[in-house]
Amino acid sequence: MDSATTHVFLAGIGNSGPEHWQSRWRGRVARGVWVEHDSWDNPVREVWVRELDDALAAIEGPKLLIAHSLGCSLVAEWAAEHEDETVVGAFLVAMPDVHGDDFPARAVGFGAPPELRLPFRTVVVTSEDDPYGSLEFASAAAERLGARLVNVGRRGHINAASGLGDWPEGWSIFGDGFTR
């Protein structure tokens, strides 16, 4: 991606704190925007989709989405209803199975990834022991979305609790998918 690309960060339930790789990566990019939500703890699909669409509309030029957890589901939900030719890619990490037993019930209205090939380059990164989405789920979701799937082994939910720090492996996967 060139220096004119805005990196748009989409966190999941509860937001991503300062020790999360997303927060650390935001400090590494020249142009970064964090999509804020009125309710981080009780997400409602329609509200989160509207907040994402409003944030994207306020950004000029090419945009690359960098999502974690429910932020990944949000990208798919948004893309099913909106078009924005300036979105050039999506890096989706730890996509949750919203119908899984461990998915938080306080998230309202989110569905499985739609049968929709995303109209931009997409990489789905998954872990073999993510409590919120199995490897099989991530593989099927990536196929439905027309995305490349990358399995990073046993990294839990690929979040701050996974002890990844700056997550250099993820930065390399990101670079391979979008900057090379």
Side-chain angles (χ1 to χ4, degrees):
M1 295 291 115
D2 63 43
S3 61
T5 299
T6 300
H7 297 77
V8 180
F9 293 88
L10 301 121
I13 294 174
N15 205 348
S16 294
E19 298 305 312
H20 195 287
W21 61 266
Q22 272 188 314
S23 298
R24 292 171 178 228
W25 285 17
R26 183 177 181 202
R28 297 174 88 168
V29 299
R31 295 171 49 108
V33 171
W34 199 271
V35 175
E36 293 290 344
H37 297 290
D38 285 337
S39 177
W40 283 104
D41 296 324
N42 297 294
V44 174
R45 178 203 176 277
E46 290 76 21
V47 174
W48 275 35
V49 167
R50 185 186 69 246
E51 290 167 339
L52 171 56
D53 194 52
D54 290 347
L56 293 175
I59 302 167
E60 292 188 24
K63 305 164 191 82
L64 178 57
L65 311 178
I66 302 173
H68 178 259
S69 194
L70 192 59
C72 301
S73 301
L74 175 59
V75 169
E77 299 272 1
W78 171 84
E81 298 176 359
H82 299 86
E83 290 184 25
D84 184 338
E85 293 179 4
T86 64
V87 174
V88 297
F91 188 70
L92 309 178
V93 179
M95 180 176 275
D97 179 354
V98 299
H99 299 299
D101 293 338
D102 293 323
F103 185 76
R106 64 186 187 261
V108 177
F110 290 88
E115 294 288 334
L116 165 76
R117 292 184 71 78
L118 295 176
F120 37 78
R121 185 183 318 178
T122 306
V123 175
V124 171
V125 179
T126 189
S127 167
E128 293 173 4
D129 60 348
D130 187 337
Y132 299 107
S134 68
L135 179 59
E136 294 76 20
F137 170 80
S139 179
E143 187 169 328
R144 279 194 307 277
L145 297 173
R148 180 171 69 103
L149 178 70
V150 178
N151 175 357
V152 294
R154 300 180 63 79
R155 298 281 192 267
H157 194 47
I158 315 175
N159 59 5
S162 299
L164 302 172
D166 289 342
W167 193 33
E169 175 189 21
W171 188 254
S172 178
I173 295 165
F174 175 73
D176 288 343
F178 297 102
T179 60
R180 296 187 179 120

